[in-house]
Amino acid sequence: MILSFKNNRIAELRTALSLSQRRLAKEIGTSQANLSRWEQGLNEPSIMECWRLADFFDVSIDVLCGRRDY
């Protein structure tokens, strides 16, 4: 994937909605372990997973990966 998730906003967006990792993972169809790795920058979500996250949070992928502000 071209986008870097090193400074991603997944955890920031998730906590702003008071969601647990488990709940968000269920909502977007992944595991809590995957979500945790994405938030830590250890792994990167696929483009399909990025779209699901961006749609869920109603933000662009650029906002999601920290390339652009809200």
Side-chain angles (χ1 to χ4, degrees), residues 25-49:
K26 183 177 179 180
E27 293 288 333
I28 64 164
T30 193
S31 70
Q32 183 272 328
N34 276 342
L35 186 60
S36 176
R37 287 189 289 268
W38 299 341
E39 287 186 0
Q40 294 175 59
L42 301 175
N43 286 1
E44 295 179 349
S46 70
I47 192 65
M48 294 301 291
E49 292 162 331

